[in-house]
Amino acid sequence: MLKKIAYILFCITAILLSLCLSFFSFFDQMKARYGNAILLILSLILVICFLADVKKTRQNILDKNDLFLWLYILILTIGVNFAQNKDIAMSWYFNYAVPIVIIYYLFKTQFSLIKNIDNVVILICILADIVAIIAILEFIFHKNIIYEKFVEGYNYRFYLKSHRAMSTQLIPPVLGTYFLACIPIALFIIYNGLFLFFFNNFRNVSF
């Protein structure tokens, strides 16, 4: 029963995480207000997943392959001690390093249990397409309704003048990184012929 609950919670978390990464401008504002609550919820979900399979949890925690993750966290921790403003550095560290560890172990324990990976891949690809369409429209019309009406984009006007699209990612470099991360997903869809599966389902829903 607990394993089923853990799996459902993980699926919900994975979907929400995909949405947050795709529409980061909205998530960034939400994180500023509810960051501690989000971390608490993620921590509780991770604890439930650990308790659902204690034996697997021991293997995951003691896995030597996690050495590079903890080495990265250690480097971040050392960097905080040399920061000029330690208060800001600690706040950034808490909001960045802690979620990385939680999400890493959450996916490590539950991702292999996903029954239909195709649906996950298609969801990510659809979200990437939406982000790309927003970027194209922003480039053509030199306007982005997200930063005009909903989100405060500090560099919005500057990037508009320089003809660099922000889309949903606050700054162009992050947008480029997002698309770069989505390339393997697109290749997976093409290689496995999932674009025909998606097209047929879209046609059936539309007509």
Side-chain angles (χ1 to χ4, degrees):
M1 182 64 180
L2 191 58
K3 285 185 178 181
K4 187 173 182 180
I5 293 173
Y7 177 73
I8 292 172
L9 289 174
F10 168 74
C11 290
I12 294 172
T13 303
I15 292 171
L16 292 176
L17 183 63
S18 299
L19 288 169
C20 290
L21 292 176
S22 298
F23 300 95
F24 185 76
S25 53
F26 293 101
F27 173 68
D28 187 61
Q29 283 198 343
M30 185 176 67
K31 182 170 66 70
R33 294 182 182 180
Y34 309 109
N36 292 335
I38 293 172
L39 281 179
L40 179 60
I41 292 171
L42 284 174
S43 300
L44 289 173
I45 294 174
L46 182 62
V47 169
I48 292 172
C49 291
F50 277 174
L51 293 176
D53 193 338
V54 178
K55 183 179 179 181
K56 190 175 181 180
T57 297
R58 290 199 192 99
Q59 294 174 349
N60 286 325
I61 292 178
L62 300 175
D63 191 351
K64 63 181 180 181
N65 293 323
D66 298 342
L67 176 64
F68 293 105
L69 169 69
W70 290 109
L71 181 61
Y72 177 63
I73 298 299
L74 176 63
I75 293 171
L76 291 178
T77 306
I78 295 172
V80 170
N81 294 321
F82 292 96
Q84 292 182 348
N85 192 322
K86 286 186 170 55
D87 291 334
I88 294 177
M90 280 301 299
S91 176
W92 177 86
Y93 176 82
F94 184 74
N95 290 314
Y96 178 75
V98 175
I100 283 179
V101 175
I102 294 174
I103 292 171
Y104 174 83
Y105 280 107
L106 191 60
F107 274 78
K108 185 178 180 182
T109 56
Q110 297 296 313
F111 190 77
S112 61
L113 301 177
I114 294 179
K115 298 173 182 176
N116 194 344
I117 192 66
D118 295 355
N119 292 334
V120 177
V121 171
I122 289 173
L123 171 64
I124 295 173
C125 195
I126 290 173
L127 293 173
D129 289 340
I130 294 172
V131 174
I133 290 170
I134 294 173
I136 292 170
L137 292 175
E138 179 184 342
F139 186 78
I140 294 173
F141 297 105
H142 302 287
K143 183 179 291 187
N144 189 326
I145 193 172
I146 293 174
Y147 306 105
E148 296 279 351
K149 300 290 185 181
F150 304 107
V151 177
E152 185 176 0
Y154 300 106
N155 300 310
Y156 172 56
R157 300 296 173 187
F158 170 77
Y159 288 125
L160 274 184
K161 291 179 181 178
S162 61
H163 303 286
R164 299 175 68 191
M166 297 165 61
S167 189
T168 60
Q169 300 296 315
L170 288 176
I171 57 174
V174 176
L175 177 64
T177 303
Y178 172 81
F179 285 137
L180 189 63
C182 290
I183 289 176
I185 304 295
L187 292 176
F188 179 87
I189 286 178
I190 294 171
Y191 181 78
N192 290 277
L194 293 180
F195 61 95
L196 293 176
F197 169 79
F198 170 68
F199 175 77
N200 290 331
N201 279 297
F202 178 78
R203 183 180 60 186
N204 292 333
V205 171
S206 300
F207 301 101

